[in-house]
Structure formats: C-alpha cells, structure tokens
Amino acid sequence: MTSVLTAIGSLITLKNVGTVLTAVGALACFYFVAAYQWETRGSWRKTAGGKHVMGFTAVLGAFFGLVFAARVWPSYPGRDWISLVVFAASVWQVLWRNVLLYVAQHPQRQSRRDSHEARATAETADK
C-alpha cells in the first residue's frame, strides 16, 4: 500500500497537474464549440458576438491543446507552424474583441456606417 501511495505521490507534480488542466481546458473548449453549434443550430453565425464567442473559445481550446501537446510530445512534426497559426489566431481574436468593444461603446458610429452601406447598396442596385 505504501509503495502505491509513493508511486501516486511521485506522479502528482505541479507540471503534471498543469498538463492535466490543459487537457481538461482543451476538452471543455471543444465541447463548448460543439454544444454551441448544436444548441444554436448555427445561429451564432448571425451576430458578431456569437462569432466571437465561438472563435475565441475555439482558439482558447487550440491554445490549451498546443500547451498539452508540447508537454506530452515536445517535438512533434509541424510544431512551429502550428504554434504560429494558433498564436496568430489568438492575436486576431483579441484584436477583434477590441473592435467589438469599440463598436458597442460607440453605436452612433455603427449606425452611420450601416446607413452609408445601405446607401451604397441602393446606388449599386439602381445602376
């Protein structure tokens, strides 16, 4: 019994706990992405907020997966390219979040932009 507890104790390190947390985080994110798609039947695509929630959660899941893979399999093929794509997607999501915040806090500018787009569309349709 003591040897089993000693063996279990040696597995419980901060790095191993962190690795398990990254796996749980990735699985939770990917579950959310699948459940959000299923529950909304894709209607999340109709709003900027819905797109952002889906995109941000998917990128967060990819980031957790990237960390998990690096800890379990330190030198897998394509690691540098995959990391670059995940980092770029993460930066894009944060930049997009800033744009959404700006638009939400300045609705009068959005309504002017919408009216300009409507006018341009109407002018194009008239031609």
Side-chain angles (χ1 to χ4, degrees), residues 13-121:
T13 64
L14 288 177
K15 185 174 182 178
N16 289 345
V17 171
T19 302
V20 169
L21 287 174
T22 61
V24 170
L27 292 172
C29 287
F30 297 138
Y31 172 81
F32 176 85
V33 166
Y36 194 39
Q37 170 63 30
W38 177 264
E39 293 295 331
T40 66
R41 292 176 178 47
S43 66
W44 58 267
R45 293 183 189 112
K46 295 178 182 173
T47 65
K51 291 175 190 174
H52 181 64
V53 167
M54 181 64 93
F56 196 86
T57 306
V59 166
L60 184 60
F63 189 77
F64 279 137
L66 189 67
V67 173
F68 177 79
R71 287 182 171 204
V72 173
W73 190 16
S75 59
Y76 53 87
R79 178 180 176 183
D80 291 338
W81 281 104
I82 294 168
S83 296
L84 179 66
V85 169
V86 171
F87 294 158
S90 300
V91 169
W92 171 253
Q93 286 296 320
V94 172
L95 291 173
W96 187 14
R97 179 171 280 193
N98 284 297
V99 169
L100 292 175
L101 172 65
Y102 182 82
V103 169
Q105 295 303 311
H106 300 89
Q108 68 280 7
R109 292 179 188 236
Q110 181 63 37
S111 64
R112 272 189 262 148
R113 190 174 316 128
D114 290 344
S115 65
H116 288 296
E117 288 176 6
R119 201 170 333 164
T121 303

